[in-house]
């Protein structure tokens, strides 16, 4: 682990992150490979950074909190809505059996796929598409993580959870109050709990205008 990574991990510990599996995963992911060159000097700071297309790479503390909230094991199949830079995906990959991740900005997805290949993340499958519709074909999922905030969570996403499954998502208006929510699928329906205030870019329905092409890719 680099000195910069070790410093970040200690900062996350002081902030209350105690899950050593999650801390180890964050320590192994080279965050400097996921940020634009213009922000490289801040790659290991505990801050969110812009990555283009109106998107951000999340603050490491938020990545840690959301990953801990998923309660992952190496048997879980995970759906991630919003690949972005691929940083959160790379943190999830060593903690679960497989990650399916969807991104609506094709340029971001192409760059993320290059990073997955370089890091040899063989259990990540990515798809260009509308994340609000989920990914029904490989469903059900043991865990679902949404990395953008919806005023109201799309009804299609919880339905993709397996019995006993967990969904973690920020919910709230773009310029209003946003809350990180954890939803569990039970025999009787869904149980929801609030985990704390957060700030995320909005979850947008549909695809950007004139995407270059549709694409689906799996890392080797």
């Amino acid at each position: 682990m680099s000195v910069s990574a070790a410093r970040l991990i200690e900062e996350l510990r002081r902030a209350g992150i105690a899950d050593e599996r999650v801390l180890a995963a964050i320590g192994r992911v080279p965050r400097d490979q996921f940020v634009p060159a213009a922000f490289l000097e801040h790659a290991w700071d505990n801050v969110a950074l812009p990555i283009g297309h109106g998107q951000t790479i999340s603050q490491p503390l938020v990545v840690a909190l959301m990953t801990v909230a998923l309660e992952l094991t190496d048997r879980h199949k995970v759906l991630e809505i919003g690949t972005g830079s691929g940083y959160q995906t790379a943190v999830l990959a060593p903690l679960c059996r497989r990650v399916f991740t969807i991104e609506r900005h094709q340029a971001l997805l192409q760059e993320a796929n290059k990073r997955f290949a370089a890091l040899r993340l063989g259990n990540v499958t990515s798809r260009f598409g509308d994340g609000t519709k989920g990914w029904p074909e490989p469903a059900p999922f043991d865990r679902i993580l949404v990395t953008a905030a919806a005023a109201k969570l799309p009804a299609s996403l919880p339905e993709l959870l397996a019995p006993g499954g967990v969904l973690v998502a920020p919910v709230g208006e773009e310029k209003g109050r946003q809350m990180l929510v954890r939803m569990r699928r039970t025999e009787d329906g869904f149980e929801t709990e609030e985990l704390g205030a957060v700030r995320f870019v909005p979850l947008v329905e549909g695809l950007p205008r004139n995407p270059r092409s549709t694409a689906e890719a799996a890392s080797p």
Side-chain angles (χ1 to χ4, degrees):
M1 186 185 300
S2 70
V3 173
S4 296
R7 186 185 71 243
L8 175 61
I9 294 307
E10 285 308 308
E11 185 173 349
L12 297 181
R13 282 199 177 98
R14 291 194 298 270
I17 303 300
D19 189 315
E20 290 298 327
R21 290 181 69 237
V22 172
L23 290 170
I26 291 175
R28 287 193 298 267
V29 176
R31 194 169 188 253
D32 53 317
Q33 295 183 24
F34 291 81
V35 303
F39 300 100
L40 200 56
E41 64 179 304
H42 300 294
W44 291 99
D45 294 344
N46 186 27
V47 295
L49 296 168
I51 58 173
H53 302 276
Q55 306 301 300
T56 61
I57 178 173
S58 292
Q59 178 187 4
L61 178 58
V62 173
V63 169
L65 288 168
M66 294 180 76
T67 306
V68 170
L70 285 173
E71 302 173 348
L72 291 169
T73 76
D74 58 10
R75 300 186 302 274
H76 287 149
K77 181 170 67 173
V78 180
L79 172 64
E80 179 190 35
I81 306 299
T83 313
S85 70
Y87 177 67
Q88 173 74 79
T89 321
V91 171
L92 294 173
L95 299 172
C96 64
R97 178 167 60 88
R98 191 155 195 87
V99 183
F100 292 83
T101 182
I102 305 176
E103 174 57 51
R104 67 187 294 272
H105 293 285
Q106 192 175 40
L108 291 180
L109 185 62
Q110 289 173 342
E111 291 302 311
N113 281 333
K114 292 176 184 177
R115 297 176 183 120
F116 300 153
L119 295 173
R120 299 182 180 180
L121 300 182
N123 64 335
V124 174
T125 301
S126 66
R127 181 180 190 177
F128 170 71
D130 180 357
T132 66
K133 300 183 184 307
W135 196 337
E137 293 82 3
F141 297 95
D142 304 295
R143 300 290 187 266
I144 297 176
L145 182 65
V146 184
T147 64
K152 183 179 180 181
L153 194 67
S156 59
L157 297 182
E159 294 301 327
L160 299 177
L161 279 176
V166 172
L167 181 152
V168 173
V171 177
E173 299 286 351
E174 180 180 2
K175 296 182 180 180
R177 178 176 179 266
Q178 293 182 4
M179 185 65 59
L180 190 63
V181 169
R182 177 164 56 193
M183 180 181 293
R184 299 180 188 273
R185 185 162 202 168
T186 70
E187 293 180 357
D188 300 321
F190 296 95
E191 296 179 353
T192 301
E193 59 182 315
E194 294 185 345
L195 303 179
V198 289
R199 175 61 54 192
F200 277 82
V201 298
L203 181 66
V204 180
E205 186 176 1
L207 298 174
R209 290 185 178 182
N210 302 319
R212 287 195 296 272
S213 64
T214 57
E216 182 170 330
S219 61

